[in-house]
Amino acid sequence: MKVVAVFAYSIALLLARSWWAMGVLAGLFAIAAVAGKLPLRQAMSQLISLGVILAFTVAVPVLSGQGLLPGLYNACRIALLVAASLVITGTTSSEQLARALDRLLSPLGRIGVPTRDIATAASIGLRFIPAIIDEYHLVRLAQQSRGARFESGGPVQRIRAWRNVFIPLFVGLFRRAETLAVAMDARCYGAQAESSMRLRV
């Protein structure tokens, strides 16, 4: 039910075209966060780390002459999309997500679709969102301790400062992915998936 609800919520966000609809969706998120006992401080700290993306989303329409409101609207949409993923990842384990997705996709398994692999990849992707945000916080704090300035200086200096954040961030994410791949290989995940496919055939 959580997976279906988040999927429907994401579609509703993409289809929303008015501030009234956005307010209703924000209220639904608040209800879900309270019902799921999501730590609001943790959620807010992770959303704050999206500041660069949200600022860019707001700035592009302004610079192109469309005005401020379209940028704010799209920024709210992105924030709520990320917040919806935090609700499900903060209240559900990876194993539960994988099992739920596998059950939802089970009808497709009858025609040869690797539902287990898809479910595992989707659950890992959802789990990586908080990890990416945490990694971003650590790298930015490390660069600030080295004297990096993100809010002052000219455009070139700011680009260099953010470059020193994103390059280590991507390197750290690739290391996490490699560690995960080695762990899954050590647990013979590929062999288990292959044997499962043979049994289905």
Side-chain angles (χ1 to χ4, degrees), residues 17-186:
R17 292 292 182 271
S18 66
W19 283 104
W20 180 85
M22 191 65 66
V24 172
L25 292 170
L28 290 176
F29 162 72
I31 294 173
V34 173
K37 297 180 180 180
L38 180 70
L40 292 180
R41 288 186 178 179
Q42 179 182 0
M44 291 302 297
S45 64
Q46 292 176 342
L47 288 176
I48 290 174
S49 63
L50 293 173
V52 177
I53 297 176
L54 297 179
F56 182 78
T57 303
V58 174
V60 169
V62 173
L63 295 176
S64 61
Q66 299 178 11
L68 180 63
L69 290 180
L72 289 175
Y73 189 85
N74 290 327
C76 290
R77 178 180 290 167
I78 294 173
L80 287 176
L81 278 171
V82 175
S85 68
L86 293 177
V87 170
I88 191 170
T89 56
T91 60
T92 311
S93 66
S94 299
E95 294 180 357
Q96 290 174 329
L97 279 175
R99 287 198 301 267
L101 291 171
D102 192 20
R103 290 181 62 185
L104 285 173
L105 299 174
S106 58
L108 298 177
R110 299 175 182 176
I111 59 176
V113 177
T115 57
R116 185 189 176 195
D117 294 339
I118 295 174
T120 302
S123 63
I124 290 174
L126 288 172
R127 277 290 170 185
F128 255 68
I129 292 176
I132 292 172
I133 295 174
D134 291 339
E135 189 83 13
Y136 164 81
H137 278 298
L138 291 175
V139 174
R140 181 171 178 176
L141 288 174
Q143 293 299 326
Q144 284 181 333
S145 66
R146 293 179 173 89
R149 298 179 180 180
F150 302 103
E151 289 80 19
S152 61
V156 176
Q157 292 178 343
R158 294 189 182 186
I159 291 174
R160 288 178 179 175
W162 285 111
R163 180 194 62 184
N164 293 333
V165 171
F166 286 112
I167 292 177
L169 175 63
F170 282 112
V171 171
L173 292 178
F174 279 119
R175 287 177 179 172
R176 284 176 180 262
E178 184 178 3
T179 302
L180 177 62
V182 172
M184 294 178 70
D185 187 54

